[in-house]
Amino acid sequence: GAGVSQSPSNKVTEKGKDVELRCDPISGHTALYWYRQRLGQGLEFLIYFQGNSAPDKSGLPSDRFSAERTGESVSTLTIQRTQQEDSAVYLCASSPWDYYNEQFFGPGTRLTVL
Amino acid sequence: GQNIDQPTEMTATEGAIVQINCTYQTSGFNGLFWYQQHAGEAPTFLSYNVLDGLEEKGRFSSFLSRSKGYSYLLLKELQMKDSASYLCAVRRNTDKLIFGTGTRLQVFP
């Protein structure tokens, strides 16, 4: 079956531009997570959705970052006025929200801000 | 707050056994996950522990001691393809995972 997909796979942008990253979770997965991974580092939690609601936005680094989810399906992460420190791989994961709650990761979007 | 510690790098020889440790401090502990991540790829699930003890799955085993805030991932009969980063992640309450920085394992022939 189809896994988590993300687009674009690579994005190069200029400092100050806005970018939008997309995540398509596994069908039927109610929970969706966004993480950021800088080169050689671990995963940094950004935000998670249960359905279309975001109970925990505590990881968003600044008000330049926002995310939404519609139809309990696709999610977009938007970064406004990008900065060089935003350069990272942005990973999306989804989960069926049962007790086990294993997260299935997408391939990520590599963002480079010049 | 929360804090998860793992060694940064480890090396081992093909066919050997390696143990990757993870210590954590967190409120609302509700399970510990291990993920494997090959360079340039997404993390993939390896194991899950919520009760104390050892969970065995083929060549991989994971151990948890909640009272000590300690887990380890044991890899047996190492293969070259096991060269990857191993991420320890703690679930808080019923939702998000807090990841450690990962342990980069290099397996030599």
Side-chain angles (χ1 to χ4, degrees):
Chain A
V4 179
S5 61
Q6 293 185 245
S7 61
S9 55
N10 276 285
K11 176 72 177 177
V12 180
T13 189
E14 293 179 348
K15 177 181 172 181
K17 301 277 189 183
D18 297 352
V19 295
E20 209 171 79
L21 312 179
R22 178 187 169 106
C23 172
D24 284 272
I26 293 172
S27 177
H29 281 192
T30 57
L32 185 149
Y33 306 79
W34 283 99
Y35 296 89
R36 177 169 71 177
Q37 188 173 32
R38 291 198 168 105
L39 188 63
Q41 298 188 19
L43 276 67
E44 177 187 357
F45 169 81
L46 297 179
I47 186 171
Y48 106 92
F49 290 89
Q50 175 62 2
N52 294 332
S53 302
D56 192 340
K57 305 179 183 179
S58 63
L60 293 177
S62 73
D63 59 9
R64 296 187 296 105
F65 288 71
S66 62
E68 65 173 17
R69 188 180 185 196
T70 56
E72 298 197 355
S73 180
V74 65
S75 175
T76 54
L77 177 69
T78 301
I79 310 174
Q80 296 178 307
R81 305 181 302 281
T82 51
Q83 303 293 313
Q84 287 184 331
E85 65 261 27
D86 299 334
S87 295
V89 175
Y90 290 82
L91 289 160
C92 173
S94 71
S95 167
W97 196 253
D98 53 17
Y99 177 77
Y100 194 58
N101 205 20
E102 175 190 340
Q103 295 185 17
F104 297 81
F105 283 84
T109 294
R110 181 176 299 279
L111 174 66
T112 304
V113 182
L114 301 176
Chain B
Q2 53 265 343
N3 195 38
I4 300 175
D5 289 313
Q6 314 178 226
T8 305
E9 290 192 8
M10 297 182 72
T11 59
T13 306
E14 199 173 13
I17 299 173
V18 70
Q19 177 174 312
I20 303 174
N21 296 324
C22 171
T23 58
Y24 64 88
Q25 292 177 309
T26 187
S27 56
F29 175 84
N30 192 22
L32 187 143
F33 289 78
W34 284 94
Y35 280 82
Q36 180 190 59
Q37 186 177 27
H38 285 99
E41 298 182 14
T44 54
F45 169 81
L46 287 179
S47 70
Y48 169 70
N49 294 69
V50 67
L51 299 176
D52 289 352
L54 188 69
E55 294 282 340
E56 297 188 75
K57 191 186 286 188
R59 294 189 298 115
F60 293 3
S61 303
S62 57
F63 172 83
L64 175 67
S65 169
R66 290 172 297 172
S67 62
K68 295 181 180 177
Y70 168 69
S71 173
Y72 67 73
L73 180 69
L74 192 72
L75 292 77
K76 304 175 189 174
E77 301 168 16
L78 280 173
Q79 302 175 11
M80 297 296 290
K81 67 178 182 180
D82 297 329
S83 294
S85 287
Y86 291 85
L87 309 175
C88 172
V90 171
R91 184 167 69 189
R92 285 190 62 208
N93 302 313
T94 57
D95 45 62
K96 66 186 181 187
L97 296 184
I98 307 299
F99 281 85
T101 54
T103 298
R104 189 177 301 113
L105 173 67
Q106 202 156 5
V107 180
F108 292 99

